[in-house]
Amino acid sequence: MNNKVIKKINLAFILLFLIGTSLFVIYPLMYVVSGAFSPGNSIASLSIIPFGDGISFKHFERLFNDTNYVKWFKNTLYVAVCTSLATILIASLGAYVFSRFQFAMKKSMMMAMLILQIFPSFVGMVAIYVILLRIGGLDKLWGLILVYLAGNIPYNTWMVKSYIDTIPKSLDEAARIDGASHFRIFRSIIFPIARPIIIFLGITSFTAPWMDYIFPKMVLRSSDKQTLALGLYSSFLTEKKNEFTTFAAGALLIAIPFIIFFVVMQKTMITSMGGSAVKE
């Protein structure tokens, strides 16, 4: 058996492996999309062939006419945007302070933030619940934002600080000679230069609340205060309900804004992720 035959056999195996992997990934997605347009209700009634049961838009009509889907969408968008903006502001300012200033217990505070990030957020769920209960944050969107913000700050401050450390301090000194304040230096010099890591931070801080189910389940109670993940799951996938097709329709609508966002922002995201990983 010559080398050309061996290469062709290896290529065939690679192609089969890649095709099989692609089908393994794509089929569940196609199944969810076909479920959103299926006339049936439960997952047991769906055909194993995507769109084998025909196409129906009744599940989308039910979402907008019989549920608080629009309200859930607004709540989720509000929480995600507020979390993202607050994380950018606090983490970037904190990173600037840790990067450019010397003060007592600086290393201890940085180490404490790093250690806190090691533990999963749900480890402190009981403590979080008690704190929110004491301050009146249960069943409030701002209470959920506080939970996400507290979890985002430690690691993101470390990440942004590492990037700011690569920015020459000579730029700060030149601006200070010209009479610029520390906040002016941060706003006019540091923040624009650190834009790649800031964009990356904003994207990651936005996507996490959009997909989360655990903390909204703990914090929110009222139907009109629920987020998308919590509202869809509690309304259509419970012990008493098995309306997978309506759930799939809601999940499909959630994905559409993300697909548009990633297509539009693809170039910016790649540039930001690449820039945040390179130190000059």
Side-chain angles (χ1 to χ4, degrees):
M1 188 177 294
N2 56 35
N3 291 333
K4 291 184 177 180
V5 175
I6 294 175
K7 288 181 179 180
K8 289 181 179 180
I9 293 175
N10 291 335
L11 180 61
F13 275 112
I14 293 173
L15 289 176
L16 287 175
F17 174 77
L18 293 176
I19 292 172
T21 304
S22 300
L23 292 175
F24 184 78
V25 174
I26 294 174
Y27 179 77
L29 299 177
M30 291 298 299
Y31 195 73
V32 173
V33 173
S34 65
F37 294 95
S38 176
N41 289 323
S42 67
I43 191 172
S45 64
L46 294 179
S47 172
I48 61 174
I49 301 175
F51 300 99
D53 298 321
I55 296 178
S56 174
F57 295 93
K58 68 175 185 178
H59 305 302
F60 297 95
E61 295 176 359
R62 185 185 173 194
L63 281 175
F64 290 101
N65 297 330
D66 301 332
T67 68
N68 290 327
Y69 186 84
V70 176
K71 185 65 175 178
W72 299 337
F73 192 96
K74 291 180 180 178
N75 292 341
T76 307
L77 182 63
Y78 174 77
V79 171
V81 170
C82 290
T83 300
S84 180
L85 294 178
T87 300
I88 290 174
L89 178 63
I90 297 175
S92 58
L93 284 174
Y96 175 71
V97 171
F98 280 109
S99 177
R100 291 299 195 255
F101 293 87
Q102 297 296 329
F103 50 89
M105 299 183 67
K106 174 182 175 180
K107 291 185 179 180
S108 300
M109 293 176 66
M110 292 294 295
M111 185 59 63
M113 288 195 298
L114 187 61
I115 293 174
L116 287 174
Q117 194 62 34
I118 295 175
F119 299 97
S121 300
F122 59 82
V123 171
M125 288 185 68
V126 175
I128 293 172
Y129 182 87
V130 173
I131 293 173
L132 291 178
L133 180 64
R134 296 285 179 84
I135 66 176
L138 288 179
D139 201 27
K140 299 290 193 304
L141 293 179
W142 62 263
L144 185 60
I145 294 172
L146 284 180
V147 174
Y148 289 134
L149 187 59
N152 287 343
I153 289 175
Y155 173 75
N156 290 321
T157 301
W158 259 98
M159 182 175 64
V160 179
K161 175 192 176 297
S162 299
Y163 191 94
I164 295 178
D165 286 342
T166 66
I167 300 176
K169 293 185 178 180
S170 58
L171 298 176
D172 304 38
E173 296 170 356
R176 198 171 293 113
I177 292 174
D178 292 337
S181 63
H182 289 296
F183 184 75
R184 179 76 179 274
I185 293 172
F186 170 78
R187 179 173 57 86
S188 302
I189 298 177
I190 303 298
F191 196 85
I193 296 177
R195 187 178 66 174
I197 195 68
I198 297 299
I199 294 176
F200 177 76
L201 174 60
I203 293 171
T204 55
S205 301
F206 181 88
T207 54
W210 196 275
M211 303 293 184
D212 188 34
Y213 171 80
I214 296 177
F215 284 110
K217 177 66 174 177
M218 180 187 71
V219 177
L220 305 176
R221 296 291 184 273
S222 305
S223 177
D224 61 334
K225 296 290 182 61
Q226 292 179 342
T227 58
L228 282 168
L230 178 59
L232 288 174
Y233 189 87
S234 60
S235 297
F236 305 115
L237 296 180
T238 62
E239 295 179 356
K240 299 180 179 179
K241 293 182 180 180
N242 182 18
E243 301 181 41
F244 173 78
T245 50
T246 309
F247 176 86
L252 182 61
L253 292 177
I254 295 174
I256 291 176
F258 265 93
I259 294 173
I260 297 174
F261 174 79
F262 280 107
V263 169
V264 174
M265 298 293 292
Q266 183 179 11
K267 183 177 180 180
T268 303
M269 288 172 58
I270 293 174
T271 304
S272 299
M273 293 177 185
S276 64
V278 176
K279 293 186 178 182
E280 298 179 356

